[in-house]
Amino acid sequence: MSEDVKVVWVAKRKSRSDRRLDLIEAARKAIVRHGIDRVQLSHVAEEAGLTSGAVLYHYPDLGELLVEAQHAGMERFYEQRMRRLADFTDQAEKLVVTIRSGLPTGPLDPDVRLLNELGGAAGRNRVYGVLLTSLYDRQVSMYQAILDTGAALGVFRLSSNSLTIARNLVALEDAYGYRITARHPMIGPDEAAELILSYARAATGNDLAF
């Protein structure tokens, strides 16, 4: 039995869905390590500990795998945040948690570095542009729902319409997230959160002290 056949046989012992999840994670790592425009099939195979043939068995189209990897990297910034927010009823606390959870944990945060790669390629790749636009719109709607509910309950006194404030909050997340991953010496996760919260306090009329 050839080495390639052996590797494919071992790969098949895992369920197909589990192996695809492993390959998505490997693709995410390869994108961060090599860049979205330079990542190759061999890079993904290396991260997964498989041969290129084993990767192609599950993903005959590398482009499809890279798109799935990008989408999986985005889950943290919408799906996971929405699940976490379900545990909170206080709208001010919910807003603070949302702001803090949208920032990198540090300069090497792989999910944010993945988004940075996606942003750099979005102008050249329509699919990546659509993915980023969809994420942005969903994040805006997430913030807008918190702002509207808080205003209806009298928790917030909005300085502008909720859509404008929500868009600004997402833009601040993106801007400070980039500064953190770019290793700005004066802006880490805590500093960035406080800078965004300073805007949110003025925009909501709430001291957001959580």
Side-chain angles (χ1 to χ4, degrees), residues 7-27:
V7 173
V8 172
W9 180 79
V10 171
K12 289 172 67 176
R13 288 196 299 177
K14 270 194 173 185
S15 73
R16 187 173 181 83
S17 60
D18 285 346
R19 177 54 67 188
R20 285 171 70 93
L21 289 174
D22 289 346
L23 290 174
I24 288 171
E25 180 60 26

Side-chain angles (χ1 to χ4, degrees), residues 11-179:
K12 289 172 67 176
R13 288 196 299 177
K14 270 194 173 185
S15 73
R16 187 173 181 83
S17 60
D18 285 346
R19 177 54 67 188
R20 285 171 70 93
L21 289 174
D22 289 346
L23 290 174
I24 288 171
E25 180 60 26
R28 290 175 61 191
K29 292 177 180 178
I31 291 169
V32 171
R33 185 184 300 274
H34 300 283
I36 187 65
D37 290 329
R38 295 178 297 279
V39 67
Q40 299 176 12
L41 176 63
S42 59
H43 297 147
V44 177
E46 181 181 1
E47 293 290 347
L50 300 171
T51 66
S52 295
V55 176
L56 290 173
Y57 174 81
H58 293 279
Y59 280 97
D61 183 353
L62 177 62
E64 178 189 351
L65 174 56
L66 296 181
V67 168
E68 288 201 25
Q70 296 283 6
H71 186 270
M74 293 179 178
E75 182 181 357
R76 165 180 159 191
F77 298 100
Y78 181 73
E79 286 91 347
Q80 289 184 19
R81 289 164 97 181
M82 291 296 290
R83 289 194 291 269
R84 183 177 180 186
L85 293 177
D87 296 331
F88 297 91
T89 56
D90 185 286
Q91 299 304 305
E93 185 176 9
K94 185 177 287 191
L95 182 57
V96 173
V97 169
T98 304
I99 289 171
R100 289 178 174 162
S101 63
L103 291 168
T105 57
L108 299 179
D109 189 311
D111 293 326
V112 178
R113 292 177 66 192
L114 192 71
L115 285 181
N116 290 346
E117 284 291 332
L118 182 62
R124 302 183 297 276
N125 187 304
R126 184 183 63 83
V127 174
Y128 294 160
V130 169
L131 284 174
L132 272 183
T133 298
S134 174
L135 176 62
Y136 172 80
D137 289 343
R138 286 183 294 163
Q139 288 177 306
V140 169
S141 68
M142 174 180 63
Y143 272 115
Q144 193 174 8
I146 297 170
L147 294 167
D148 284 338
T149 302
L153 294 173
V155 176
F156 299 146
R157 299 183 305 280
L158 302 183
S159 63
S160 183
N161 64 80
S162 61
L163 179 59
T164 296
I165 297 172
R167 285 174 172 170
N168 284 335
L169 287 169
V170 177
L172 287 169
E173 266 188 27
D174 292 344
Y176 284 121
Y178 176 78
R179 294 301 161 197

